[in-house]
Amino acid sequence: MTSYLIPYIDPKKNDGEEDPLLIEYTYGDKGRRGKKLRNEVSKGDYLFFHTSIRNKRYITAFYEVEEVMDIQKARADTTIMMKYRNPHLTSNETHANEVIVFGNPIKSVVLHTPLEFNGELLKELSIPYHPSSSQTELAALSSKFRNWFPLSTTQIQLLIKKVNALHNESFLKQKQLSSDEIRQLSETHIEQFLVECPSALGPELIFLKRQHQFKDGKRLDLLVKNSRTQQIYIVEIKNNEIGVEVLKQIKGYIKRYEHEENLKNVKGIIVCKGILPHFEEEILNQSKEKIKIYQYGWMFSIQAV
């Protein structure tokens, strides 16, 4: 059993071929590397994937391996062919030692915040690293880790510990986002930012709880409280423009929360991209007393790379 640190190429630089196909936790290979996957990697091993982003190296995902399968066997399985779209499965060609790896869908993770892969991390992992003074760090790392690098159990545990710590932080606080990254922000990203920075919604607001579950199993996004007045707010996050249905939703949450927690005068906050023009007047009129609406947006900035 062996786990590996594996480099990969951005699909834009690889004729559009995306492998590892992170959205479905698959990875295919052939030849010498395919033979290595077949003979050395087993269920429970880990594959950590790293690539270059903005002149730095990052670990962007890891799989806990569920199965390594011969490509012909995988292609013969109609359920696999219906479910997965990895290029090795959809290709009409077959190569020597070609295999497909399936990551465990529960225990494999694509990182919300990639882990920077640098000299400091290598020191913590006890991996020898002696770059040439004439090389940039990216060039030195790309050269050293051009091939797969085997990982020990201790190194895997350290990487997962660091990944978990990053996963609980918001990258909205950590770095400037590109235009493409901004378009891919999810409600979870915004939620994590507000967990860490509730004062963005008001200078005296503090975080209480996220994903509060009602008795019927439904969940609300966030609970925050004014530290001076003790006023409680339910926060509902939408990463698109809102209509009247969101107003009805948060009003229902307020009523249900007041009933289940035996409270009065709970208020609401909606964080969204904006209000659909047709409903703007109606929503603003209905939300004056108990609901505040905040629109998130972005400011142009320039920084060195």
Side-chain angles (χ1 to χ4, degrees):
M1 295 179 67
T2 309
S3 297
Y4 284 101
L5 190 61
I6 297 177
Y8 74 96
I9 302 174
D10 187 295
K12 294 177 183 177
K13 303 175 183 177
N14 196 31
D15 295 326
E17 182 174 306
E18 188 172 359
D19 189 31
L21 190 49
L22 300 178
I23 60 171
E24 62 181 34
Y25 306 125
T26 59
Y27 174 62
D29 221 320
K30 59 185 182 292
R32 179 178 55 84
R33 292 189 300 268
K35 186 176 181 180
K36 186 176 292 191
L37 285 171
R38 177 190 286 126
N39 295 340
E40 299 180 11
V41 177
S42 305
K43 181 175 180 176
D45 287 340
Y46 286 86
L47 302 180
F48 285 83
F49 298 100
H50 63 96
T51 191
S52 58
I53 303 173
R54 296 186 191 173
N55 297 318
K56 292 184 179 181
R57 205 79 193 171
Y58 289 92
I59 293 174
T60 59
F62 68 87
Y63 296 174
E64 181 177 314
V65 175
E66 184 65 25
E67 186 173 4
V68 181
M69 186 180 293
D70 182 85
I71 199 67
Q72 290 179 317
K73 180 180 178 181
R75 289 174 184 165
D77 189 312
T78 55
T79 302
I80 288 175
M81 295 303 291
M82 286 174 61
K83 183 174 181 180
Y84 296 100
R85 303 304 300 165
N86 186 283
H88 286 268
L89 291 171
T90 58
S91 173
N92 292 323
E93 298 181 3
T94 301
H95 301 271
N97 297 312
E98 191 169 4
V99 298
I100 184 84
V101 175
F102 298 96
N104 183 298
I106 303 299
K107 297 182 179 180
S108 301
V109 178
V110 178
L111 307 184
H112 289 309
T113 304
L115 174 63
E116 187 173 348
F117 186 43
N118 53 25
E120 182 179 342
L121 178 60
L122 294 182
K123 185 176 180 181
E124 292 185 63
L125 293 169
S126 299
I127 295 176
Y129 176 60
H130 306 289
S132 166
S133 58
S134 63
Q135 288 181 303
T136 64
E137 183 169 59
L138 176 61
L141 290 169
S142 298
S143 177
K144 182 175 178 64
F145 295 95
R146 181 181 295 110
N147 298 316
W148 296 7
F149 188 90
L151 294 169
S152 69
T153 301
T154 301
Q155 290 167 334
I156 292 167
Q157 290 173 346
L158 178 60
L159 285 173
I160 290 178
K161 181 179 179 181
K162 285 188 165 294
V163 161
N164 283 338
L166 274 179
H167 197 69
N168 292 324
E169 295 178 9
S170 169
F171 66 69
L172 295 181
K173 289 175 61 181
Q174 296 175 7
K175 67 171 189 171
Q176 180 191 60
L177 299 183
S178 70
S179 297
D180 288 339
E181 288 169 324
I182 287 170
R183 283 195 290 270
Q184 295 184 43
L185 279 180
S186 69
E187 291 170 8
T188 302
H189 295 139
I190 300 168
E191 179 182 306
Q192 182 61 45
F193 174 75
L194 293 175
V195 167
E196 297 175 33
C197 300
S199 59
L201 299 174
E204 296 177 320
L205 292 184
I206 59 174
F207 167 68
L208 286 182
K209 189 176 181 181
R210 71 192 300 176
Q211 294 298 311
H212 171 82
Q213 185 171 333
F214 292 112
K215 292 179 180 178
D216 65 358
K218 291 186 178 180
R219 297 175 182 269
L220 56 82
D221 291 333
L222 291 178
L223 288 169
V224 298
K225 179 175 74 172
N226 186 301
S227 59
R228 179 178 57 84
T229 65
Q230 305 301 302
Q231 172 68 59
I232 292 177
Y233 294 88
I234 288 173
V235 182
E236 183 63 22
I237 300 165
K238 302 294 182 185
N239 65 346
N240 291 312
E241 291 87 357
I242 64 167
V244 291
E245 74 284 348
V246 178
L247 202 60
K248 293 177 182 177
Q249 180 184 17
I250 197 167
K251 285 181 176 180
Y253 284 167
I254 290 171
K255 185 175 180 180
R256 189 177 306 178
Y257 187 78
E258 288 177 334
H259 174 72
E260 291 189 6
E261 302 297 323
N262 195 25
L263 294 172
K264 293 183 178 180
N265 198 35
V266 174
K267 295 186 178 181
I269 294 174
I270 298 173
V271 178
C272 60
K273 190 176 180 181
I275 303 173
L276 292 168
H278 182 76
F279 301 105
E280 185 170 0
E281 184 176 354
E282 181 180 356
I283 289 174
L284 292 177
N285 286 336
Q286 287 190 43
S287 63
K288 285 180 179 178
E289 294 183 7
K290 295 194 71 170
I291 300 170
K292 296 181 179 180
I293 299 177
Y294 288 86
Q295 178 178 333
Y296 69 82
W298 315 101
M299 298 180 68
F300 179 75
S301 65
I302 297 175
Q303 71 178 30
V305 295

